[in-house]
Amino acid sequence: MAPALRHKDRQEPLRNYCKGLLLDGERKSVEPMAARLAPDQVQRMHESLHHLVAQSPWSDADVLRRVRERVLAAMQRHSPVEAWIVDETGWAKQGTHSVGVAQQYCGRLKRKANCQVSVSLSVATASASLPIAWRLYLPEEWARDRARRKAAGIPSTVEFESKPRIALEAIRRAVEQEVPRGVVLADEVYGSNREFREAVAGLNLRYSVAVRRVTTAWTREREPLPPKEWTGKGQRPNRPRRDATHQPLKVEQLALALPARAWRGVSWREGSRGALRSRFAAIRVRPAYGDDRGAGQQPEQWLLMEWPKTEQTPASYWLSNLPGNTSLRRLVEITKQRWRIERDYEELKQEVGLSHYEGRNWRGFHHHATLCIAAYGFLVEERSLFSPSAQAGHVRIRTPGIPAGFQRRGAPDPRATA
């Protein structure tokens, strides 16, 4: 990664910072890392690490690109890229001065809280995943506040953008950089956004994204009425009479109207307690956007629905532009790969200290996240040395032979030890 920092003096602090992130320790902020790395010169180490992360003007995008190129090559030795996963993560913060902190929904806490939220894009194979883009979500109140922007060092080019817009920028950059393509997966914050789905499809990408239960769609049996026609110049349009039965339905209504035989049990992966299994159904629909304008021209796509036996009503819904001949099992397997991002977030926060940064400015926040992703990428690359099917205790690694004369006379033969 060192060449991406474009300055020789930054190489040693880079090495120390990444080492600090990988060492044991409850906190991975600058001060405790400095104490672990150089207990006899804590102040000097603290200044070096702080300058690298909070002040040095190196490019996060360049470093992440180098990490991606190296780690993705290792990941693809076992299986190709299958998915691009869009998601967000947040962590609670005290006070009001840390960049982007506001009262907003925090997924980890499952409620609104004073927190920071970031949007990420990850690439995933069948056995591994890695974040390749990371961006802080800047609430509108921050984007408008000049004083807070200046204090936090927010670049003048950064304006308020919705989370789907931030995610789309990351996806476009990945396409431009020719990252191996996968099916775009996202939760309903992104999937329920019409512009997001259309933009992803416009990039010739497949998607399978969650939508809210109130999302409406046309089925083949309930195609939209023909467009209005003008009866003549200056005359009012002759709109066909519509009745209550000719309307798009909410996806929840479509799910409840399906016969029992439409729901099939599908297993999609092995969990810690055995195979993960639930009931699913899928039908072909055309999304509706509040009225029937252009609905007849909307491409047909899959509506995937999940209804666990333990639930009184269907639990989840997804829209997908995967091919019409895609099997139900394949739809489920691809769609359910979003779980990998939760594992990424958990390990980034718990193992390499993603949420431990205590600085307040824009540059430091993103530099720290970039170096955390680099450290995590190292762990992903190390795991990729082994086959995904290898189990602990069954990895075939040759052990070095016992040197001649090493065994003490009368001692048991160490080669006989299990």
Side-chain angles (χ1 to χ4, degrees), residues 9 51 222 285 293 343 394 405:
D9 291 344
H51 185 270
R222 302 170 64 88
V285 300
R293 289 176 297 177
R343 183 194 64 184
H394 296 279

Side-chain angles (χ1 to χ4, degrees), residues 136 164 179 199 212 282:
L136 176 71
V179 176
R212 299 183 177 92

Side-chain angles (χ1 to χ4, degrees), residues 33-46:
M33 286 199 301
R36 286 190 289 270
L37 289 165
D40 297 331
Q41 297 179 320
V42 175
Q43 184 62 32
R44 182 189 64 81
M45 180 62 72
H46 183 280

Side-chain angles (χ1 to χ4, degrees), residues 182-210:
V183 179
V184 175
L185 309 178
D187 67 19
E188 61 186 32
V189 171
Y190 308 88
S192 294
N193 185 289
R194 168 189 175 183
E195 289 75 18
F196 178 83
R197 298 198 306 266
E198 291 182 344
V200 171
L203 293 169
N204 295 318
L205 292 168
R206 299 292 187 182
Y207 63 76
S208 187
V209 293

